[in-house]
């Protein structure tokens, strides 16, 4: 990411130097500069170049608009993105799937799921076929907005249209239901992943375990933690261990909480103060003061 940002900054610098030397930009150099702004996350600069193009009588192409809207998406700027979309239409330039997906993403990043849905429907009305990116973006919109039922509807639509979600799509959908504590839906999505031979990563397991813990399903959470530990070259996040231990403590299963810490140590992971603090709270809740004190001594 840093390397890409450095390249973008260099491209913008070269563009500015060209103008300082009196070399007049054309549609291609302007579009390249806007694309560099997109990659560098400089949405305001991208809009500035688009304005300069227009003032100089150079008509922006769909590629220039697409890059500028993508820059707005990355900068979490929904209103400028929607404004550019309207400008495209007024200029009789028809947005494509990529442009719509970027505009939808910009709406989603600011929690505007209704405008995002309107764009999605508009896109379909124009005969454009949503692709994996578009569907995944819509799921992300709903995940950010807390609309977990709508996220599931999109997953169902993808299944009906035989569009296979990838790990990121599943991860986002599972995150949406996990935030709402919908552990049955989270488990269902995980099962679908496995059936489609899409291998869940530690992030996916973390979301499902979180949902299970919210639902008090400590036994299922513990089983999934073991599955996560079996993933080659990948260990669960610290927050995953904490979530499971807290769930165990809340349900009086403090011995199993200590077992989780033992498993961590067997895997070569030293429990940090965050994990130990959660275990101490679990022991306190389960009326185990001596063991809790031993844990406190470890932190010291």
């Amino acid at each position: 990411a840093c390397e890409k940002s450095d390249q973008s900054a260099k491209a913008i610098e070269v563009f500015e130097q060209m103008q300082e030397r009196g070399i007049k930009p054309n549609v291609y150099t302007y579009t390249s500069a806007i694309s560099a702004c997109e990659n560098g996350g400089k949405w305001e600069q991208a809009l500035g170049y688009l304005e300069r193009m227009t003032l100089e009588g150079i008509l922006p192409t769909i590629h220039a608009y697409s890059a500028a809207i993508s820059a707005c998406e990355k900068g979490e700027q929904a209103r400028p993105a929607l404004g550019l979309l309207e400008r495209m239409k007024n200029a009789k330039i028809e947005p494509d799937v990529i442009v719509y997906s970027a505009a939808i993403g910009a709406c989603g990043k600011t929690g505007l799921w209704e405008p995002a849905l309107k764009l999605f429907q508009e896109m379909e009305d124009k005969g454009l076929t949503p692709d994996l990116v578009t569907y995944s973006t819509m799921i992300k919109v709903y995940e950010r907005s807390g609309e977990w039922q709508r996220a599931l509807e999109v997953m169902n639509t993808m299944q009906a249209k035989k569009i296979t979600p990838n790990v990121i799509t599943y991860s986002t959908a599972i995150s949406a239901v996990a935030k709402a504590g919908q552990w049955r839906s989270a488990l269902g999505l995980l099962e679908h992943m496995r059936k489609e031979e899409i291998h869940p990563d530690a992030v996916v397991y973390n979301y499902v375990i979180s949902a299970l813990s919210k639902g008090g399903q400590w036994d299922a959470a513990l089983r999934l933690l073991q599955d996560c530990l079996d993933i080659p070259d990948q260990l669960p996040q610290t927050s995953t261990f904490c979530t499971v231990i807290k769930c165990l403590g809340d349900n009086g299963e403090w011995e199993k909480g200590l077992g989780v810490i033992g498993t961590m140590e067997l895997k070569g992971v030293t429990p940090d103060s965050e994990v130990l603090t959660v275990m101490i709270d679990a022991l306190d809740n389960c009326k185990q003061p001596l063991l809790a004190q031993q844990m406190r001594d470890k932190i010291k």
Side-chain angles (χ1 to χ4, degrees):
C2 289
E3 184 181 348
K4 196 171 186 180
S5 180
D6 289 343
Q7 289 173 349
S8 300
K10 184 65 177 175
I12 293 168
E13 183 184 342
V14 169
F15 178 77
E16 293 294 344
Q17 286 174 352
M18 284 174 61
Q19 291 190 298
E20 287 170 8
R21 292 171 185 171
I23 302 172
K24 193 173 181 180
N26 58 25
V27 65
Y28 302 108
T29 50
Y30 262 122
T31 302
S32 297
I34 293 169
S35 296
C37 292
E38 172 203 350
N39 295 328
K42 300 178 183 294
W43 67 273
E44 291 174 301
Q45 199 165 355
L47 296 185
Y49 285 149
L50 202 65
E51 286 302 319
R52 278 162 60 178
M53 277 183 84
T54 308
L55 290 172
E56 290 174 16
I58 301 170
L59 296 177
T61 63
I62 187 172
H63 303 295
Y65 277 114
S66 178
I69 291 171
S70 293
C72 291
E73 179 197 6
K74 289 176 181 176
E76 303 187 3
Q77 299 295 321
R79 295 193 187 284
L82 293 174
L84 288 174
L85 197 60
E86 285 306 309
R87 277 181 60 179
M88 285 185 73
K89 295 173 190 174
N90 293 336
K92 309 298 182 189
I93 300 173
E94 285 298 321
D96 59 11
V97 173
I98 296 170
V99 171
Y100 271 111
S101 295
I104 288 167
C107 291
K109 286 182 177 179
T110 49
L112 301 174
W113 70 266
E114 288 169 310
L117 177 58
K118 185 180 177 183
L119 289 176
F120 184 85
Q121 291 168 339
E122 179 184 299
M123 176 181 158
E124 290 192 306
D125 290 343
K126 289 188 175 183
L128 295 171
T129 304
D131 57 14
L132 174 60
V133 173
T134 315
Y135 281 116
S136 298
T137 303
M138 278 305 302
I139 292 169
K140 187 66 180 175
V141 168
Y142 292 136
E143 186 260 348
R144 284 193 170 217
S145 306
E147 297 287 331
W148 63 270
Q149 298 100 324
R150 291 180 182 275
L152 288 180
E153 286 173 11
V154 176
M155 291 294 286
N156 291 335
T157 300
M158 291 179 72
Q159 187 176 11
K161 295 194 174 182
K162 302 191 184 312
I163 298 173
T164 304
N166 58 22
V167 173
I168 295 171
T169 313
Y170 270 113
S171 178
T172 307
I174 290 171
S175 173
V177 297
K179 285 178 179 178
Q182 300 295 319
W183 61 268
R184 290 183 180 86
S185 295
L187 276 179
L189 289 168
L190 181 63
E191 189 58 33
H192 273 296
M193 279 189 84
R194 289 168 167 169
K195 282 181 182 176
E196 290 173 5
E197 297 184 352
I198 299 171
H199 302 294
D201 57 16
V203 174
V204 170
Y205 277 112
N206 184 53
Y207 290 144
V208 181
I209 288 169
S210 173
L212 290 166
S213 298
K214 286 179 182 177
Q217 305 298 310
W218 63 266
D219 49 345
L222 201 54
R223 285 196 300 273
L224 280 191
L225 178 63
Q226 187 55 57
D227 290 347
C228 190
L229 286 164
D230 291 338
I231 300 174
D233 304 319
Q234 221 178 129
L235 284 170
Q237 301 168 357
T238 299
S239 59
T240 308
F241 288 114
C242 290
T243 299
V244 173
I245 292 168
K246 184 180 185 306
C247 182
L248 291 167
D250 289 345
N251 289 276
E253 299 290 339
W254 60 270
E255 298 101 324
K256 289 183 170 61
L258 290 174
V260 170
I261 287 181
T263 300
M264 289 179 72
E265 291 171 339
L266 284 172
K267 288 284 183 178
V269 180
T270 303
D272 61 15
S273 59
E274 185 181 355
V275 173
L276 294 176
T277 299
V278 173
M279 189 68 242
I280 289 166
D281 289 341
L283 292 169
D284 284 336
N285 291 338
C286 296
K287 312 298 182 192
Q288 299 295 322
L290 292 177
L291 289 171
Q293 187 55 50
Q294 287 177 12
M295 286 285 164
R296 287 189 179 92
D297 293 339
K298 278 190 178 183
I299 294 177
K300 292 175 184 177

